[in-house]
């Protein structure tokens, strides 16, 4: 009874057993050696790959086996993290470890780069329904042509396939009535599919409006009152846009400071300076704990789930973030790209 908890912990912490008939210790050592080699391969591969060409990491199931694999790889990262020199190298190590976990558990990893793998905003089920509607409309058109006397081989073949599996023959005398019934049935199906899409659209719109009402009511009311812009107006000239913003941000301007600056300086002289910010591993752990697991990633493509699983990186991240804060510089990994999107058709005149 006393040794039972230790045995249970050992069984839970064991990553994967190769063969239950073999000796448990040998199987575990072989499995750990296999994981170590996969980790080394993934880290080396990630270091030689640019950010935009990294594969897209999938969302893995939160199962006991997957957690066991992450726990097994966590202590193996000590050697790599201790030798890490900056945040970019640490991020590369963590991404390689996440890639190794996905390959060990057999998760499907996209081989194409994240820059080319754009995901459609339309759900897959809606695309399938729209394809069915398009095929049904094409079939209705062929059947109407056949009913009006068009007997071309392609149309006849299509109509014959439409009645496949039934006792209807194209040579029977009541074929016109059968065609009319079949066309009516297809139209009813198209109407049902269209209602399904409209129900989804209305439900999605209502859900988004309710969520926006809880976060920003002013923005919701503005979106309801503002007319919908189709976006067909002329876009602003790219050269003029670049010149406009470059004149605001790139050219140095000598400002003439007035006497108010001396008044503000005298008023702020008695303010106690704020204590310097010290980033600790607990701060990193708390920030990671509150972050959603599978929130959209940044340029590195690494989800928060991996920062939670590889807990040994918290101390390294705290030290490297502190160094970046003291040096007042961040690597290019934390920079983003800003796209200028015209909000309405008056953008040209405002500029």
């Amino acid at each position: 009874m006393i040794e039972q908890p230790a045995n249970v912990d050992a069984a839970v912490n064991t990553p994967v057993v190769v063969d239950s008939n073999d000796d448990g210790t040998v199987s575990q050592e072989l499995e750990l050696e296999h994981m170590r080699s996969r980790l080394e391969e993934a880290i080396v591969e990630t270091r030689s790959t640019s950010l935009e060409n990294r594969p897209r990491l999938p969302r893995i199931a939160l199962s006991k086996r997957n957690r066991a694999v992450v726990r097994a790889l966590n202590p193996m990262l000590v050697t790599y993290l201790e030798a890490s020199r900056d945040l970019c190298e640490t991020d590369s190590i963590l991404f390689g470890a996440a890639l190794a976990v996905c390959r060990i558990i057999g998760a499907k990893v996209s081989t194409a780069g994240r820059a080319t793998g754009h995901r459609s905003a339309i759900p897959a089920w809606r695309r399938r329904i729209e394809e069915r509607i398009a095929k049904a409309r094409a079939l209705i058109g062929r059947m109407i042509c056949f009913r009006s006397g068009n007997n071309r081989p392609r149309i006849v073949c299509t109509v014959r396939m439409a009645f496949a599996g039934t006792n209807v023959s194209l040579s029977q005398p009541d074929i016109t009535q059968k065609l009319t019934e079949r066309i009516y049935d297809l139209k009813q199906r198209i109407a049902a599919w269209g209602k399904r899409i409209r129900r989804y659209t209305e439900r999605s719109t209502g859900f988004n409006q309710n969520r926006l009402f809880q976060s920003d009511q002013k923005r919701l009311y503005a979106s309801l009152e503002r007319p919908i812009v189709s976006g067909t107006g002329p876009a602003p000239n790219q050269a003029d846009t670049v010149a406009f913003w470059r004149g605001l941000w790139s050219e140095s301007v000598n400002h003439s400071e007035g006497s108010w600056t001396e008044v503000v300086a005298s008023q702020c002289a008695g303010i106690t300076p704020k204590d310097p910010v010290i980033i600790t591993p607990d701060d990193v752990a708390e920030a990671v704990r509150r972050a959603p697991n599978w929130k959209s990633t940044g340029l590195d493509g690494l989800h928060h789930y991996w920062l939670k699983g590889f807990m040994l990186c918290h101390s390294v991240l705290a030290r490297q973030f502190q160094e970046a804060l003291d040096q007042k510089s961040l690597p290019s990994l934390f920079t983003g790209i800003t796209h200028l999107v015209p909000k309405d058709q008056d953008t040209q005149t405002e500029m």
Side-chain angles (χ1 to χ4, degrees):
M1 295 292 293
I2 297 176
E3 296 178 355
Q4 184 177 359
N7 296 333
V8 173
D9 293 340
V12 173
N13 294 328
T14 301
V16 180
V17 178
V18 179
D19 190 357
S20 59
N21 297 326
D22 295 339
D23 181 71
T25 305
V26 176
S27 300
Q28 184 176 354
E29 291 178 357
L30 292 175
E31 185 66 24
L32 291 177
E33 187 63 28
H34 173 69
M35 291 182 179
R36 189 174 288 104
S37 62
R38 299 295 293 270
L39 176 63
E40 178 68 24
E41 294 175 0
I43 291 178
V44 173
E45 177 183 346
T46 305
R47 285 176 175 174
S48 60
T49 307
S50 58
L51 292 176
E52 60 272 9
N53 293 329
R54 285 182 178 180
R56 185 183 298 274
L57 296 177
R59 299 182 180 184
I60 65 175
L62 303 179
S63 61
K64 292 183 178 179
R65 179 178 181 272
N66 295 345
R67 289 194 183 100
V69 175
V70 175
R71 286 198 302 266
L73 290 185
N74 186 43
M76 299 180 188
L77 298 176
V78 176
T79 306
Y80 303 98
L81 293 175
E82 289 179 350
S84 177
R85 294 168 296 181
D86 52 15
L87 289 169
C88 292
E89 189 171 354
T90 302
D91 176 80
S92 177
I93 294 171
L94 295 176
F95 189 91
L99 182 61
V101 171
C102 294
R103 291 176 177 175
I104 291 172
I105 65 178
K108 186 177 180 181
V109 180
S110 176
T111 56
R114 293 180 294 110
T116 58
H118 297 290
R119 297 180 60 185
S120 175
I122 304 176
W125 66 266
R126 179 170 178 173
R127 290 198 301 269
R128 289 193 297 266
I129 292 179
E130 291 176 350
E131 291 176 359
R132 294 175 189 172
I133 292 175
K135 292 180 181 179
R137 287 175 176 172
L139 181 58
I140 289 175
R142 296 286 180 88
M143 296 176 71
I144 292 176
C145 291
F146 181 79
R147 188 177 59 179
S148 61
N150 192 337
N151 295 325
R152 287 186 299 176
R154 180 177 299 178
I155 293 179
V156 173
C157 180
T158 304
V159 176
R160 187 178 288 111
M161 292 177 59
F163 289 102
T166 62
N167 296 327
V168 178
S169 175
L170 301 185
S171 59
Q172 63 187 39
D174 60 342
I175 185 62
T176 303
Q177 180 181 356
K178 297 297 183 181
L179 286 172
T180 304
E181 294 176 355
R182 183 60 175 166
I183 291 172
Y184 178 78
D185 179 66
L186 290 175
K187 288 182 178 180
Q188 293 298 316
R189 292 188 179 185
I190 292 175
W193 290 332
K195 288 181 180 179
R196 185 182 302 179
I197 293 178
R198 284 195 296 272
R199 285 197 305 268
Y200 166 78
T201 305
E202 293 175 358
R203 180 182 178 277
S204 177
T205 303
F207 174 79
N208 293 332
Q209 289 179 352
N210 291 336
R211 186 173 59 179
L212 186 59
F213 179 80
Q214 297 176 359
S215 60
D216 192 349
Q217 298 181 11
K218 181 179 178 180
R219 182 180 174 188
L220 171 63
Y221 294 136
S223 64
L224 295 176
E225 296 175 356
R226 184 172 56 247
I228 300 177
V229 180
S230 60
T232 57
N237 184 270
Q238 183 178 2
D240 296 340
T241 305
V242 173
F244 174 79
W245 289 104
R246 182 172 293 169
L248 294 178
W249 299 105
S250 300
E251 299 179 1
S252 59
V253 179
N254 296 325
H255 298 280
S256 58
E257 304 294 349
S259 59
W260 63 270
T261 56
E262 300 179 357
V263 177
V264 173
S266 61
Q267 293 177 351
C268 297
I271 298 177
T272 304
K274 186 179 180 180
D275 296 334
V277 178
I278 304 298
I279 302 176
T280 63
D282 294 337
D283 296 334
V284 177
E286 179 63 19
V288 171
R289 185 188 64 82
R290 292 180 298 176
N293 285 342
W294 306 110
K295 189 178 180 181
S296 298
T297 64
L299 297 176
D300 57 348
L302 193 66
H303 295 93
H304 295 140
Y305 171 81
W306 305 108
L307 299 179
K308 296 179 181 180
F310 302 131
M311 294 180 293
L312 289 179
C313 70
H314 295 170
S315 59
V316 179
L317 289 176
R319 173 175 55 83
Q320 293 177 348
F321 273 119
Q322 186 66 47
E323 294 175 355
L325 182 62
D326 297 339
Q327 298 174 2
K328 299 180 180 180
S329 64
L330 285 175
S332 58
L333 176 67
F334 296 93
T335 59
I337 300 176
T338 302
H339 297 275
L340 299 178
V341 180
K343 296 298 186 296
D344 50 30
Q345 299 180 0
D346 297 332
T347 305
Q348 191 74 259
T349 58
E350 292 177 0
M351 292 179 55

